[in-house]
Amino acid sequence: MLSPRFLLLRSAASVTTRSFCSGGVSKPGRAPDMAEGNPLLHVSNVRNRLREIVGASTNWSDHQQAMSERVSLSSMLAKSQSDLPAKRMKDSYLEVHLPLGSEPQLREKYLTFHNTVRFGRILEDLDSLAVLISYSHTYNGALKRSPLSIVTALVDKIDMRQHIIYPDCDIKFTGHVTWVGKTSIEAKMHMSQFHNGAYSPVLDATFVMVARDPENKRAAYVNPLQPEGPEEEQLFLEGEANKIRRVDLSTASLLKVAPTDEERKIVHSLFLNTLDTKTVSFRSRLLPPSSVWMEDAKLKGLEICHPQERNIFNRIFGGFLMRKAYELGWANACSYGGGRPSLVAVDDILFQRPVEIGSLLLLSSQVCYTQGKNIQVRVHSEVFDPLTRHHNTTNVFHFTFVSDRDVPNIIPMTYGESMLYLDGKRHFSQTVE
Ligand SMILES: CCCCCCCCCC(=O)SCCNC(=O)CCNC(=O)[C@H](O)C(C)(C)COP(=O)(O)OP(=O)(O)OC[C@H]1O[C@@H](n2cnc3c(N)ncnc32)[C@H](O)[C@@H]1OP(=O)(O)O
């Protein structure tokens, strides 16, 4: 679904003759709509808007006061979903600009050493946008503040449609709600970049957001969604199918059930390939040529969760967690493959529990599956409480990278590692399907 305004911008963009983004061209990658000062939502205003919607504090010292003010909004929550008016997809449609071409001072924050765009920053922007889209869907003009606390539950999928993101070309995000349950919302977003005189697609993302009460303690109803026309009906049906697929995937998780017959054969064949034929022993294992033991393909990190990284509900911002996990995963893929890997897909990032401010966040990345030039990386994050010494998983992230060369085969040694390998293979197959 495209709004008339979006169509107008696309046609304006298509008349320019600028060829490509390079440092030598004046005002490279500056889209006409940005150049003419079109008053569209600037990426840096998304978070300010979110703060206004929920009444979040701008100073950490005021956060308790802001939180207690929000508690009083509980009485504004709907008692059932049918008490809320149905919304259309266009009610939540948003278009946000990241003018890297028009605003050179903005580039610094997004720039990598290799003169590409930091994908971790894009993940942060997508997360904020998904939240704003969800608030647009649940907007109630009669209320000054929204009583809902909308959090990211899952990044279902991010498909890269091109690997290069230019650091000096304007970027545009668009998106809207495509499906709702009772308390959950699916938002689809698209990112495109102004290049060769027109916007071309860079990525498609699907996030699932969950609405909670003002204290973020229990689920809260969201407005139903009324699709209009066959295109929107189709999006809604896909959302329904996505929900069923997620349930099926979680039911078939290798943490709950045994691998399939075919998967068992794969694990056994990997095992046989590592046996030392000279010793006829189950215990003596040899690494096959051009291979790496899984144990040797890990990279770990620690984050101290400072107030600066808080979200509007005074927990750690999901986008920050994604950025940190992505950068660790990328560094691991980089050191594993020996080249500079590009991201192919992000899938199934699960936000299992919130990360409190002040937490010690342990991030652990593992290359878990390889095929040709492809590297599948899993990043696990957990908070560690130094007083109780308890560890609690908060997130699991899955990233698929492609290297510029063939990479060594990753080989599991233990049964647990074999399950990680199969899980990685399942995720990889999903992304290349
Ligand atoms: C100021 C600058 C920053 C501005 C940016 C603001 C951005 C704010 C966004 C964030 O940063 S959020 C931070 C990252 N996310 C989190 O910390 C969430 C951590 N996870 C949780 O708190 C819980 O796991 C969660 C609330 C997501 C789910 O809790 P429950 O498992 O108890 O949920 P419940 O069983 O009550 O189900 C509620 C709904 O969620 C759905 N759900 C739960 N887990 C899901 C999942 N994994 N995938 C899809 N849907 C899921 C579930 O189907 C159901 O939908 P329906 O009512 O529509 O049927």
Side-chain angles (χ1 to χ4, degrees):
M1 187 203 66
L2 296 175
S3 77
R5 187 172 64 172
F6 181 64
L7 289 169
L8 196 72
L9 288 170
R10 281 188 67 97
S11 55
S14 65
V15 294
T16 174
T17 53
R18 222 168 264 136
S19 59
F20 72 101
C21 300
S22 79
V25 181
S26 68
K27 297 176 184 163
R30 185 173 163 176
D33 46 310
M34 294 308 299
E36 283 150 23
N38 202 317
L40 292 164
L41 190 56
H42 189 289
V43 76
S44 58
N45 290 330
V46 171
R47 295 185 189 188
N48 294 339
R49 216 180 247 200
L50 286 170
R51 280 194 195 93
E52 281 165 25
I53 291 169
V54 301
S57 62
T58 40
N59 293 316
W60 176 241
S61 54
D62 301 334
H63 81 280
Q64 267 166 340
Q65 167 77 16
M67 283 306 277
S68 59
E69 280 169 20
R70 268 188 68 67
V71 173
S72 63
L73 298 175
S74 288
S75 58
M76 312 289 178
L77 291 172
K79 304 277 179 296
S80 83
Q81 194 177 31
S82 54
D83 291 345
L84 295 165
K87 296 287 183 84
R88 299 161 303 174
M89 289 194 189
K90 58 165 100 65
D91 292 326
S92 59
Y93 180 85
L94 281 183
E95 189 168 312
V96 171
H97 284 259
L98 170 57
L100 294 179
S102 322
E103 290 181 26
Q105 69 282 10
L106 196 64
R107 273 179 219 153
E108 195 78 359
K109 185 177 163 193
Y110 286 84
L111 200 63
T112 71
F113 168 72
H114 303 285
N115 208 32
T116 57
V117 169
R118 289 174 67 181
F119 191 73
R121 291 283 186 214
I122 300 294
L123 287 172
E124 290 184 318
D125 291 340
L126 285 169
D127 195 30
S128 306
L129 180 60
V131 182
L132 189 55
I133 286 173
S134 305
Y135 276 114
S136 304
H137 174 78
T138 54
Y139 176 71
N140 177 351
L143 301 178
K144 194 165 162 253
R145 302 251 186 261
S146 172
L148 299 173
S149 303
I150 298 181
V151 299
T152 316
L154 179 79
V155 177
D156 186 69
K157 213 167 178 34
I158 300 179
D159 278 322
M160 300 303 292
R161 297 180 63 180
Q162 76 177 40
H163 291 318
I164 301 166
I165 310 178
Y166 302 96
D168 53 359
C169 295
D170 288 352
I171 284 176
K172 181 159 62 186
F173 298 97
T174 58
H176 60 87
V177 169
T178 46
W179 176 87
V180 299
K182 286 206 170 345
T183 65
S184 60
I185 294 175
E186 182 190 82
K188 275 196 196 298
M189 291 163 288
H190 307 281
M191 175 177 141
S192 53
Q193 187 160 43
F194 190 76
H195 175 57
N196 265 352
Y199 277 102
S200 48
V202 176
L203 65 80
D204 302 320
T206 309
F207 281 46
V208 180
M209 318 304 289
V210 169
R212 317 279 293 167
D213 71 2
E215 291 179 90
N216 199 353
K217 288 195 170 150
R218 60 185 176 86
Y221 292 111
V222 297
N223 301 64
L225 180 66
Q226 181 58 60
E228 291 177 333
E231 212 180 312
E232 292 190 6
E233 296 277 358
Q234 183 57 32
L235 282 173
F236 192 84
L237 286 176
E238 281 171 21
E240 199 73 44
N242 284 342
K243 176 165 184 168
I244 295 165
R245 175 180 51 81
R246 279 177 218 121
V247 173
D248 289 350
L249 278 177
S250 117
T251 314
S253 162
L254 291 164
L255 290 168
K256 295 180 191 160
V257 294
T260 64
D261 278 352
E262 194 193 330
E263 288 175 331
R264 276 196 277 257
K265 282 182 194 142
I266 294 171
V267 169
H268 201 67
S269 139
L270 283 165
F271 171 71
L272 292 180
N273 277 344
T274 61
L275 285 185
D276 183 353
T277 45
K278 293 192 206 99
T279 61
V280 199
S281 155
F282 285 117
R283 297 183 71 180
S284 84
R285 311 275 298 272
L286 285 180
L287 188 64
S290 310
S291 302
V292 173
W293 290 119
M294 241 174 175
E295 177 61 28
D296 300 325
K298 293 180 199 281
L299 198 60
K300 299 195 178 201
L302 163 79
E303 288 298 325
I304 299 175
C305 298
H306 297 295
Q308 189 187 14
E309 308 303 344
R310 73 188 183 279
N311 64 19
I312 41 182
F313 316 115
N314 296 311
R315 301 275 179 53
I316 292 295
F317 170 40
F320 170 77
L321 300 173
M322 285 196 269
R323 171 159 67 85
K324 287 294 166 187
Y326 168 78
E327 289 181 352
L328 183 70
W330 182 86
N332 196 4
C334 195
S335 73
Y336 183 85
R340 207 150 56 79
S342 309
L343 182 72
V344 178
V346 178
D347 94 297
D348 207 14
I349 295 182
L350 191 59
F351 289 85
Q352 280 172 8
R353 59 180 82 204
V355 177
E356 302 294 338
I357 311 296
S359 302
L360 295 181
L361 185 74
L362 306 175
L363 293 156
S364 175
S365 76
Q366 169 79 68
V367 173
C368 54
Y369 181 74
T370 53
Q371 193 182 101
K373 293 184 167 70
N374 297 288
I375 308 169
Q376 185 71 33
V377 180
R378 180 181 194 270
V379 183
H380 173 265
S381 70
E382 59 186 20
V383 287
F384 171 63
D385 185 334
L387 300 179
T388 61
R389 311 205 69 75
H390 286 157
H391 289 250
N392 275 313
T393 297
T394 55
N395 300 74
V396 183
F397 307 82
H398 301 274
F399 301 108
T400 311
F401 294 99
V402 64
S403 183
D404 51 7
R405 62 198 76 176
D406 278 349
V407 300
N409 299 315
I410 193 82
I411 306 289
M413 185 180 270
T414 64
Y415 187 77
E417 285 176 350
S418 300
M419 295 307 103
L420 272 179
Y421 180 93
L422 292 179
D423 190 55
K425 184 174 186 310
R426 286 184 185 183
H427 282 285
F428 178 72
S429 308
Q430 256 172 248
T431 60
V432 295
E433 256 170 22

